[in-house]
Amino acid sequence: MEPTLQATSVYEVRTAGCINFSYYNKLSGTVNFGTAKADKILVRFTDGLSLEARRQVLSRYPQFHSIEGEIALDSGILTVVRLVPNADCGDAERFGLKLLREGTVSYVTPFFNRTSADPEEPFTGLSNEFMVSIEPGKMAQLEQLIAQTRTSIVFSFSEEVHVLSADKNSSASILEILTLFNQQDFVSSAEPNLVYSFPTSEGSVNAQTSKKMNMAFWKAAKAEKKNKQR
């Protein structure tokens, strides 16, 4: 079986030869991320793999230019990988598919093109994590869905709010999994832990996640945990 790019979804369509990425959110409907940004992807390597070992894996591929930085998550480290100049969205997709065949790589996803012409707008990417809120007393159903999708809990805000992780061994891509979770009656919401890459004058990485930035439902989940600890 060929691995699937971990950001594809049941709603993906091809636009000018490239995938349009989206998923279904029960609170806001279809969330559209657009096409892959051509010059940058996120890669999850095996825990403990050195920077030099990661570089050796990546250097076997002609699309690779450099490692731009790292992003720390509850589930581990995401490596920000820059592609060669003049790469296109198809190169980013193909590079991701090839990397997923590596035994030391568990997850790959692209960044996405900006949705506006604002040069200060960050580029958005998908981490391998997502937050799931469930109705009270529905933990058994959540555990069944976790087993079905081959995902795992990496952090819990409360009995009703959990951070899950997906990888290439999960039942589907992370956007398909988000869609499936949002279709369950016992799930209140399922939201990705997005990565935001902000432009810097030095050209270095300044990346933050939805969780770290306390955005939307992530902020509410942290507030709920703090209140229960009082």
Side-chain angles (χ1 to χ4, degrees):
M1 177 180 290
E2 292 290 315
T4 57
L5 188 64
Q6 293 299 296
T8 56
S9 101
V10 290
Y11 294 99
E12 72 188 34
V13 294
R14 294 239 164 219
T15 305
C18 291
I19 293 173
N20 188 72
F21 296 85
S22 63
Y23 80 100
Y24 168 74
N25 184 301
K26 73 192 318 174
L27 300 177
S28 55
T30 298
V31 178
N32 183 32
F33 294 107
T35 55
K37 190 176 186 297
D39 65 347
K40 197 184 307 186
I41 60 175
L42 289 163
V43 183
R44 176 86 166 90
F45 286 92
T46 303
D47 288 333
L49 200 67
S50 69
L51 188 64
E52 181 55 33
R54 282 176 272 168
R55 187 177 286 110
Q56 288 178 5
V57 171
L58 294 164
S59 64
R60 295 201 291 266
Y61 298 92
Q63 295 96 337
F64 172 65
H65 179 269
S66 59
I67 291 178
E68 191 171 281
E70 297 178 338
I71 301 166
L73 304 174
D74 288 312
S75 58
I77 298 295
L78 279 178
T79 303
V80 182
V81 176
R82 181 167 289 279
L83 278 67
V84 293
N86 301 318
D88 59 26
C89 54
D91 291 320
E93 293 175 17
R94 289 187 291 273
F95 189 21
L97 288 171
K98 291 175 181 177
L99 284 175
L100 285 170
R101 299 188 181 100
E102 295 282 350
T104 55
V105 173
S106 63
Y107 178 88
V108 181
T109 190
F111 278 90
F112 306 108
N113 288 307
R114 287 190 176 106
T115 56
S116 75
D118 181 1
E120 298 300 315
E121 179 187 347
F123 291 104
T124 302
L126 286 165
S127 80
N128 55 302
E129 294 181 351
F130 58 104
M131 183 179 69
V132 177
S133 300
I134 60 173
E135 299 295 331
K138 299 298 182 180
M139 190 62 195
Q141 286 93 322
L142 177 62
E143 290 173 342
Q144 290 176 354
L145 189 56
I146 288 171
Q148 175 188 336
T149 55
R150 299 195 292 279
T151 52
S152 59
I153 294 177
V154 295
F155 180 85
S156 296
F157 287 107
S158 67
E159 293 179 358
E160 287 80 41
V161 185
H162 306 273
V163 179
L164 275 64
S165 175
D167 60 25
K168 69 180 181 182
N169 296 313
S170 297
S171 63
S173 69
I174 193 166
L175 290 181
E176 288 175 313
I177 289 171
L178 279 165
T179 293
L180 178 63
F181 272 78
N182 275 293
Q183 290 170 337
Q184 309 307 307
D185 291 338
F186 71 90
V187 173
S188 302
S189 67
E191 300 277 337
N193 190 12
L194 295 172
V195 175
Y196 296 96
S197 178
F198 295 88
T200 63
S201 57
E202 301 83 12
S204 59
V205 168
N206 178 17
Q208 304 286 347
T209 63
S210 298
K211 184 184 177 205
K212 191 169 184 179
M213 293 172 67
N214 290 332
M215 296 182 69
F217 295 97
W218 295 88
K219 182 176 182 178
K222 285 188 176 182
E224 178 184 350
K225 181 182 181 183
K226 187 177 293 185
N227 290 334
K228 289 189 175 183
Q229 289 175 338
R230 289 176 179 171

